[in-house]
């Protein structure tokens, strides 16, 4: 059967409200940036297919749907996630401190071997910086995960970050595949019998 | 509390159970502003799903009898400040009483230390290899073994734990049942006596054979039997067993003319059954593991235990709603694999599909023909009214008996397929049978689907959609009162001493003030959750089992039993979870359900000293831990009679097996709130959303949607039925087999 990709990875974005998760998502999936996103209304996930070592990898990147605001992310959000981007805002000390809480949250709900990465977003806004790059690196070392400073606005490191995360997942997965043939548990995703004709597109107004 | 919640919403919803969550999603979907609150720190309320520690915590919390509501503080000054002169406030209960008689029994020891257990057998690598050779024709077996080892190496558990049968040893806690204690002692004596007289005899080996096969369940779908390449297996119909794979294809193509294929299938499955029988004769040592409370705690995250387990009918309204609203993308499902019934003092698999009917050994050839004929008739009974003329008002059982069916076939149809009792009239019985048969074969060998990770996922899926459409979620948030205007219409709530206005207030019945509810809620449901060491009816593969126990002797009312294994993502390897519920008859759930537990399980171990290893040849599963509780059943009363206008009250999970009532309830209530609006229209796929003013590379997005269309076209070649889909989203819970789900080869 002709699939246009070799692997499908489910990735999550996690972090406090306003750190720029949705902007990162749009920079990566659409190469677009809009500073006036107010919240994450209507955004479920975005898809982009990338190529790594000759393999086409479909990245399905899920946004929090604003449920991070009062720490009400559903456990269902974490199911099946293979990679998680933990995002803080370098101009917001609190969002950096909360990374530890988010890691704890992940440990409780996500798969134990999920690949993680920390992103310090808005690194273009140096004049209001509250968290130095060194502190970000230090935190990442402490938890043994990768770290990058990014700017969705200036398009710094966003591509690189997702490629790095995807590469780590792919490596881990292929290692496992060498050890075993992929068995299945036989679960179903429910789909409509016939795809609804895509006659109209949905327009979401940017405020 | 300094939250920055807005103070006006179209809809405020209290409680995150199933009907509330469906309503939340439906309201947000049509553009209403929604605030969704829950008093608990978790989603789901009475529909929640817990890991082991969370369930223990829930148990402890609900054992405490809730204090009386204090009504004195109700109009405190802060409230008065927020009210206009014409408004009044009604306090809401802070200590709900919808859960009662929580009783938890621990049948295993606290930890493995200080044990008086006889030497524990260790499953050596030799044994593993030996067992591995057996499933002939299965080239994947060795690889799987490696994966087992690799996957569990990071674990605190040895690789062999996966295959080991748990041992129930230990002590009941405080409220242990004393009459059971004696029983358990005496039966243990007999059984110990029996075990000494045996060496590695058949009963031992049967247990072991079970492990062997269970170990291989994972690669069954890629069985070379089917001549399927790996790729095909990956993309093909995604069922839990090769048997159902064939049967699925057959049934989907035509529900009448595939007898031949099914016969083939039948032969094949009998062959494999024989193969497994051979396995059982392979001499091998019994392996076992003594599970302790500490183990359950260590593996807590592998448990997903439901307070209100239910199944979805494949053609039922919830599956329809999930698909039509596009919420199905948030969840994954597994088909129930068998329906059991208790007949002639033992458990038997009910033949419900055509393949089953031919495969069953419990029914003679003549009976098979009669059964097939009847099932075919039931599928379209409306077209043949002459067949049941004269029986319309008479019991279904009488109709079945008039068809010259043998008692066991009558039993199958009446109690296991229609799932009705003796008093149910014929038309209702036929309708129930038809409903069952119509849902059969769409996703597998039974009409039922189970949501992976448990039913507690489902309300969360609706909540996610609500959030995607702007709904605001706030858990662990109490609501102290409701504000009514001069006409008695609800205009808002007090929550954390903050006034929040709304046009509609939806609340789950346990949130509602007593004066909003019917004076008397007469019915309750008795529920129990058991963690057990083995299946109630071991089979060569892990099964997802539904069983209805008919009222009889000690069993006071029809008990619905669900048994799930690790493949359903509800418990660690080597364990099973059994759920029971029935309409309450006695005062406590324990009284109602203990007889059923005694029927299916070894006597609950209540004595730490006698309960020790050596019980490996007990055929019945042992219970490691269990909890009983009663729940008010508000599905049986009209909740929206006495409530203030502007409020909606939703019901508890109730005793029904599926979600039909729940979806109907949510749909009706939504129509009451927003009569002109569409109920959960399809949510757009991400690639259909175009940001206004976004000119960014349309090429990429174009490709994306084109790709999806192609996928769909290929996967749905003008089919009328919903097809089982190759799952596309990865799904790994530190579980080696799950990790592999993500892999979708081109």
């Amino acid at each position: 059967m002709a699939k246009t990709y070799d692997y499908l990875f489910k990735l999550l974005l996690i972090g406090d409200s306003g750190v720029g998760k949705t902007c990162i998502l749009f920079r990566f999936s659409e190469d677009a940036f809009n500073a006036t996103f107010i919240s994450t209304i209507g955004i479920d996930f975005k898809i982009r297919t990338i190529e790594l070592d000759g393999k086409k990898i479909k990245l399905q990147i899920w946004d929090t749907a604003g449920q991070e605001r009062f720490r009400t992310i559903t456990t269902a959000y974490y199911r099946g996630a293979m990679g998680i981007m933990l995002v803080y805002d370098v101009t917001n000390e609190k969002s950096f401190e909360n990374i530890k809480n988010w890691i704890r949250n992940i440990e409780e709900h996500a798969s134990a071997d999920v690949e993680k990465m920390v992103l310090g977003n808005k690194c273009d806004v140096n004049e209001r910086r509250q968290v130095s790059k060194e502190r970000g690196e230090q935190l990442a070392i402490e938890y043994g995960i990768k770290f990058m400073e990014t700017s969705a606005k200036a398009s710094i490191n966003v591509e690189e970050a997702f490629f790095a995360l995807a590469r780590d997942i792919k490596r881990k997965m292929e290692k496992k595949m060498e050890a075993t043939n992929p068995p299945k548990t036989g679960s179903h995703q429910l789909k409509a019998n016939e795809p609804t004709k895509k006659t109209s597109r949905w327009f979401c107004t940017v405020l | 509390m300094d939250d920055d919640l807005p103070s006006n919403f179209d809809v405020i919803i209290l409680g995150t159970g199933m009907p509330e969550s469906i309503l939340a999603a439906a309201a947000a979907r049509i553009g209403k502003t929604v605030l969704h609150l829950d008093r608990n720190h978790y989603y789901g309320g009475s529909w929640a799903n817990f890991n082991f520690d969370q369930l223990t915590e829930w148990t402890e919390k609900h054992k405490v009898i809730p204090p009386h509501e204090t009504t004195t503080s109700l109009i405190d000054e802060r409230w008065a400040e927020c009210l206009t002169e014409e408004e009044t406030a009604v306090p809401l209960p802070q200590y709900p009483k919808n859960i009662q008689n929580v009783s938890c029994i621990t049948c295993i020891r606290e930890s493995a230390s200080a044990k008086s257990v006889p030497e524990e057998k260790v499953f050596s690598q030799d044994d593993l290899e030996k067992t591995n050779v057996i499933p002939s024709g299965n080239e994947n077996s060795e690889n799987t073994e490696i994966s087992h080892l690799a996957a569990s190496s990071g674990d605190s558990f040895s690789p062999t734990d996966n295959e080991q049968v748990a041992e129930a040893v230990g002590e009941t806690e405080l409220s242990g049942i004393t009459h059971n204690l004696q029983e358990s002692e005496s039966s243990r004596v007999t059984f110990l006596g029996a075990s000494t007289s045996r060496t590695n005899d058949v009963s031992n080996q049967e247990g072991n054979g079970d492990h062997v096969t269970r170990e291989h369940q994972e690669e069954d779908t890629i069985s070379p039997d089917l001549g399927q390449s790996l790729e095909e297996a990956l993309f093909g119909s995604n069922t839990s067993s090769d048997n159902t794979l064939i049967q699925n294809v057959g049934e989907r193509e035509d529900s009448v003319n595939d007898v031949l294929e099914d016969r083939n299938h039948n032969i094949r499955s009998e062959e494999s059954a024989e193969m497994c029988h051979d396995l059982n004769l392979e001499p091998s040592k019994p392996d076992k593991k003594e599970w302790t409370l500490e183990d359950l705690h260590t593996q807590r995250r592998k448990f997903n235990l439901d307070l209100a387990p239910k199944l979805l009918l494949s053609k039922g309204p919830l599956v329809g709603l999930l698909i039509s609203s596009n919420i199905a993308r948030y969840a994954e499902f597994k088909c129930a694999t068998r329906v059991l019934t208790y007949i002639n003092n033992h458990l038997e698999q009910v033949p419900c599909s055509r393949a089953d009917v031919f495969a069953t050994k419990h029914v003679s050839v003549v009976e098979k023909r009669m059964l097939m004929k009847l099932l075919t008739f039931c599928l379209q009974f409306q077209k043949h009214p002459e067949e049941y003329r004269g029986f319309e008002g008479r019991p279904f059982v009488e109709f079945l008996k008039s068809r010259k069916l043998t008692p066991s076939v009558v039993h199958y149809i009446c109690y296991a397929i229609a799932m009705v009792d003796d008093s149910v009239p014929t038309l209702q019985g036929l309708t129930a049978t038809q409903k069952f048969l119509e849902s059969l074969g769409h996703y597998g060998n039974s009409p039922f689907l189970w949501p992976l990770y448990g039913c507690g996922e489902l309300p969360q899926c609706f909540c996610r959609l609500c959030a995607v459409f702007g709904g605001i979620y706030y858990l662990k948030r109490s609501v102290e009162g409701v504000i009514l205007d001069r006409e008695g219409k609800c205009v808002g709530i007090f929550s954390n001493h903050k006034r929040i206005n709304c046009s509609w207030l939806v609340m789950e019945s346990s949130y509602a003030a007593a004066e909003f509810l019917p004076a008397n809620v007469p019915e309750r449901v008795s529920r129990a959750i058991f963690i057990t060491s083995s299946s109630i009816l071991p089979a060569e593969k892990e099964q997802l089992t539904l069983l209805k126990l008919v009222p009889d002797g000690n069993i006071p009312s029809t008990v619905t039993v669900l048994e799930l294994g690790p493949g359903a993502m509800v418990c660690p390897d080597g364990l099973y979870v059994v759920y029971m519920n029935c309409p309450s008859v006695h005062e406590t759930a324990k009284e109602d359900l203990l007889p059923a537990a005694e029927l299916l399980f070894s006597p609950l171990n209540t004595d730490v000293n006698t309960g020790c290893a050596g019980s490996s040849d007990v055929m019945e599963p042992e219970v490691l831990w269990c909890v009983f509780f009663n729940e008010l059943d508000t599905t049986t009363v009209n909740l929206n009679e006495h409530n203030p206008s502007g409020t909606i009250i939703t019901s508890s999970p109730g005793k029904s097996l599926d979600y039909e009532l729940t979806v109907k309830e949510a749909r009706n209530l939504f129509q009451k709130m927003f009569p002109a609006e569409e109920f959960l229209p399809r949510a757009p796929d991400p690639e259909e959303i175009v940001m206004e003013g976004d000119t960014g590379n349309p090429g990429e997005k174009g490709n994306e949607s084109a790709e999806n269309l192609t996928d769909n076209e290929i996967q749905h070649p003008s089919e009328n039925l919903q097809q089982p889909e190759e799952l596309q989203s990865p799904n790994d819970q530190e579980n080696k087999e799950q990790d592999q789900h993500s892999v979708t080869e081109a």
Side-chain angles (χ1 to χ4, degrees), chain B residues 216-279:
Chain B
H216 291 287
Q217 78 201 19
E218 287 145 23
E219 70 263 22
D220 279 329
T221 34
I222 344 174
S223 160
D225 243 11
L226 289 169
Q228 268 194 321
S229 70
L230 184 64
E231 284 86 353
E232 272 173 324
L234 276 168
F235 291 119
S237 167
N238 188 7
T239 50
S240 56
S241 77
D242 47 1
N243 296 351
T244 50
L245 194 73
I246 297 177
Q247 189 237 330
N248 243 2
V249 173
E251 295 225 357
R252 233 185 293 124
E253 280 171 352
D254 191 328
S255 57
V256 186
N257 294 324
D258 52 346
V259 178
L260 224 158
E261 184 161 14
D262 282 324
R263 278 206 181 121
N264 286 339
H265 152 245
N266 179 23
I267 292 163
R268 225 175 268 146
S269 67
E270 268 175 13
E271 271 173 5
S272 65
E274 264 169 44
M275 219 158 71
C276 286
H277 192 63
D278 288 342
L279 284 187

Side-chain angles (χ1 to χ4, degrees), chain B residues 60-71 92-99:
Chain B
E60 291 305 317
K61 186 183 157 202
H62 286 86
K63 266 184 196 166
V64 181
I65 294 174
H68 283 293
E69 300 291 340
T70 48
T71 47
L92 293 182
Q94 301 301 302
Y95 308 105
K97 294 172 182 65
N98 53 327
I99 304 288

Side-chain angles (χ1 to χ4, degrees), chain B residues 309-380:
Chain B
K310 286 178 188 286
L311 294 174
L312 294 85
L313 269 169
S314 298
K315 275 289 194 187
L318 183 55
V319 169
L321 181 63
L322 285 167
I323 292 171
S324 67
S325 63
N326 222 350
I327 293 173
R329 64 182 172 213
Y330 300 138
E332 284 175 275
F333 299 85
K334 206 175 163 104
C335 199
T337 54
R338 64 180 182 185
V339 178
L340 297 183
T341 193
Y342 191 80
I343 184 170
N344 306 327
N345 296 320
H346 69 279
L347 289 171
E348 227 171 63
Q349 184 166 348
V350 177
C352 40
S353 69
R354 181 170 286 101
D356 282 352
V357 170
F358 283 102
T360 183
K361 289 175 192 142
H362 300 294
V363 181
S364 75
V365 179
V366 181
E367 282 179 281
K368 280 179 188 181
R369 210 162 288 151
M370 289 194 298
L371 186 56
M372 273 315 302
K373 209 176 143 210
L374 188 78
L375 293 180
T376 315
F377 155 70
C378 286
L379 206 51
Q380 38 194 329

Side-chain angles (χ1 to χ4, degrees), chain A residues 6 8 42 44 72 110 187-188, chain B residues 43 238 301 330 333 468 728 744:
Chain A
D6 300 289
L8 175 79
D44 214 350
T72 53
S187 68
H188 301 291
Chain B
Y43 279 96
N238 188 7
R301 285 197 47 208
Y330 300 138
F333 299 85
V468 166
Q728 301 192 327
T744 345

Side-chain angles (χ1 to χ4, degrees), chain B residues 12-15 20 23 92 482 490 505-513 516 639-640 643-644 646-651:
Chain B
I12 295 177
I13 299 179
L14 314 183
E20 304 90 79
L23 281 173
L92 293 182
V482 173
C490 171
L505 175 66
V506 177
M507 49 197 153
E508 190 268 308
S509 52
S510 70
Y511 285 79
F516 299 170
L639 292 167
N640 291 288
N643 53 324
T647 66
I648 294 280
I649 300 176
T650 57
S651 63

